[in-house]
Amino acid sequence: MIPIIGLAVGVVLGLLLDPSVPLGLQPYLPIAVVAALDAVFGGIRARFDGIFDAKVFVVSFVSNVVVAALIVFLGDQLGVGAQLSTAVVVVLGIRIFGNAAAIRRHLFRA
Amino acid sequence: MSAPAPGRQRSLGASLLDQVLAETLDPAYAQAAAARAAQRAPGGGQPPAPPGWLRRSRGQLLVALTLLVVGLLAAVTYREAAAGAQGREQARLSLREDVTVESETTDGLVAQLEDLTGQVTRAREEALAASAVGQRALDQLAEAELAAAVSAVSGPGLRVTLGNAAPSADSDPVGGSAEVSGPGVVQDGDLQLVVNALWASGAEAISINGQRLGATTPIRQAGKAILVDSRPVTSPYEVSAIGDPDDLSNRLVATPEATLLATLTTDYGVVFDYAEVDDLDLPAGTAAELEFARPLDPAAAAGTSAGADTGVPADQSTDGG
C-alpha cells in the first residue's frame, strides 16, 4: 500500500510542481521512464514470485535508468543515437512484456 | 525459438534472443532470496539482525521513495512532451496570423493600385478626347489594351474545368490526409495544354481562376502549388475563355491536347470538363514591363492594327515554367 501511495504522490508532485528539466537532459527523459517501468514491472513480478527484495529493487531501478540514459547519450555522441535508442527500447520492452506476462499468470492463473 | 526450461543447462550456442526472452526478471532477486534463505538456515551464521518489522518498513520506505521518483519522472516527461506539442502549435498559429495580416495588406495595396490606375485612365481620356488626334490615339490604345489583355472583357464563351482526382476510396480521411498525390494531381503542364488548346481553337481572352492571361503570363509550378502570374491557384482550376461557344467547344474537342487530357481522366481520374457559358466576365490582367521591345514605326503600326482582327495570333503560346 505504501509504495502505491508513494507512486501517486510522485505523479501529483510532478504535475503540480512542474519542475523545469535542463535542456540537455530532456531527450533522455522518455528512455528513463521506460527503464523505470522495466524496474517497476520486475519488482511487481518478484513480489508475486515471493522473492522481492527492496535493496535489489532500488539498485535495479537506479542502474536501469542510469545505464539506459548513458547508452543513449553515448549513441548520440557517436551518431547512432536513434538506433541505440531503438535497441534499448526494444530490449526494455521485451523485458516489460515478459514480466507482465508472468504477473498475468499469477493474477489470473491463466 | 522457445525459451529453455529453468534449470536446464543453457547450451553454449543459445541465441541472444533466447536469453533476452528467458531472463526478463533480474536474477539479482533470486540471488537475494537464496542469500536470505541461506542466512536463515541453521547452517549459516546468524548475525544479530534488526527485528523483522523494522527491516520490512525500512524496505517499504525505500520502495515508496523509489516509486515517488518514478512517478515524478513520468509526470515530468509527460509535461515536457505536452509542452513541446503546445509550443509547436503556437508557432504554427502565429505564423498563420502573420500570413493573414500580410495578405490583407497586399489586398489593400492592390485595391489602391486599381483605384489610382482608374484615376490615371480617366484623366488621360479626358485630356485626349478633346482633340481628333487624341481620340485616334485613344482608340489605338483601346485596341492595343484589348490585345494585351490589360482591359476587362466580357462575352460568351467556354468554361473548362480541370481538377485533381478525387482521393481513392481506401485513403484514410481520419488519420491521414485526404489529398491525392502522384499522377492524379493537375500539373502546370496540364494547364498549359488546356490554355494552348483554347488559344488554338480561337479563344479571344482566357483567365484561370480569376487570373487573366496576357502575352507573357507564366503558368508554372513551385513545389505542389501552381502559380499563374506568380499568384497561387488551387484545384479545381476554372479556365474561362471568351469566344464563340459552339465553335470553341467543337474545335477544342478536336485538338490533340483534349485527347491527351481525356486519357488522363480515364487513366488517373483527373477532372476535365467543359461547359458553354453565355456571359463570362474576365478581369484585366497585369501589363508586362517592356524593357527591350520598341513599338514599330507609328504609320506602319496604324496600317497593321487597323486591319487586324482582335483575335489572338495562332502561334501565341503560354510561357511555361
Side-chain angles (χ1 to χ4, degrees):
Chain A
M1 192 54 353
I2 300 188
I4 311 230
I5 297 179
L7 182 65
V9 168
V11 170
V12 168
L13 268 184
L15 288 177
L16 281 183
L17 289 183
D18 195 12
S20 62
V21 182
L23 210 57
L25 289 183
Q26 274 181 17
Y28 307 110
L29 277 182
I31 284 285
V33 170
V34 178
L37 260 186
D38 172 45
V40 167
F41 270 85
I44 298 178
R45 182 200 174 160
R47 185 81 175 79
F48 274 113
D49 280 349
I51 53 175
F52 182 75
D53 191 64
K55 192 178 81 174
V56 172
F57 175 70
V58 173
V59 169
S60 83
F61 165 73
V62 170
S63 76
N64 259 10
V65 169
V66 168
V67 169
L70 218 60
I71 291 180
V72 175
F73 170 74
L74 191 65
D76 279 342
Q77 302 309 310
L78 293 176
V80 287
Q83 290 86 333
L84 269 185
S85 153
T86 306
V88 168
V89 168
V90 162
V91 170
L92 289 176
I94 292 178
R95 288 167 61 106
I96 291 176
F97 268 109
N99 288 337
I103 295 171
R104 184 235 322 149
R105 277 192 289 273
H106 277 291
L107 276 182
F108 300 114
R109 312 248 180 270
Chain B
M1 203 179 48
S2 56
R8 178 162 340 152
Q9 194 69 0
R10 207 177 298 279
S11 76
L12 285 174
S15 76
L16 178 65
L17 221 46
D18 275 346
Q19 208 173 15
V20 170
L21 287 170
E23 278 185 10
T24 57
L25 185 58
D26 207 329
Y29 283 113
Q31 285 168 3
R36 270 204 308 275
Q39 218 175 39
R40 249 180 270 121
Q46 292 227 13
W53 60 265
L54 183 59
R55 161 177 316 183
R56 212 175 39 237
S57 67
R58 196 176 63 190
Q60 277 204 329
L61 207 61
L62 263 183
V63 169
L65 229 59
T66 310
L67 283 178
L68 192 125
V69 174
V70 170
L72 211 64
L73 211 58
V76 167
T77 309
Y78 167 76
R79 270 306 186 100
E80 292 296 328
Q86 224 175 28
R88 280 192 296 275
E89 183 66 17
Q90 263 181 348
R92 196 182 71 89
L93 284 178
S94 92
L95 279 174
R96 201 165 76 169
E97 241 180 65
D98 283 346
V99 168
T100 315
V101 165
E102 295 302 326
S103 296
E104 281 173 18
T105 314
T106 311
D107 290 341
L109 287 174
V110 165
Q112 204 181 16
L113 177 65
E114 280 176 13
D115 198 28
L116 290 173
T117 311
Q119 285 181 16
V120 168
T121 313
R122 275 195 298 275
R124 182 174 59 199
E125 274 179 19
E126 278 172 35
L128 287 179
S131 65
V133 173
Q135 186 60 50
R136 243 203 335 261
L138 269 183
D139 292 339
Q140 283 178 14
L141 185 60
E143 279 180 21
E145 280 186 347
L146 200 58
V150 291
S151 53
V153 290
S154 69
L158 209 60
R159 180 176 291 137
V160 178
T161 312
L162 263 186
N164 292 338
S168 62
D170 54 6
S171 72
D172 178 13
V174 175
S177 65
E179 288 183 18
V180 67
S181 64
V185 173
V186 173
Q187 295 177 346
D188 55 352
D190 304 327
L191 269 180
Q192 291 166 13
L193 283 178
V194 170
V195 168
N196 280 348
L198 283 170
W199 284 132
S201 309
E204 294 173 9
I206 299 186
S207 82
I208 302 181
N209 277 16
Q211 299 291 333
R212 180 78 176 278
L213 296 187
T216 57
T217 313
I219 302 175
R220 67 179 193 88
Q221 188 155 0
K224 286 195 182 154
I226 295 190
L227 303 170
V228 173
D229 200 17
S230 303
R231 269 137 160 253
V233 291
T234 54
S235 169
Y237 309 97
E238 282 190 2
V239 184
S240 312
I242 291 187
D244 180 354
D246 292 326
D247 194 37
L248 262 183
S249 59
N250 290 337
R251 288 168 70 178
L252 176 68
V253 169
T255 57
E257 288 92 350
T259 317
L260 179 59
L261 286 164
T263 324
L264 281 184
T265 307
T266 42
D267 285 347
Y268 305 115
V270 173
V271 173
F272 174 51
D273 208 357
Y274 65 91
E276 299 177 14
V277 183
D278 276 338
D279 80 295
L280 284 167
D281 287 313
L282 302 190
T286 48
E289 296 285 323
L290 297 177
E291 284 182 59
F292 299 104
R294 295 271 174 274
L296 294 173
D297 179 9
T304 48
S305 68
D309 209 86
T310 46
V312 182
D315 61 356
Q316 173 148 9
S317 58
T318 314
D319 198 22

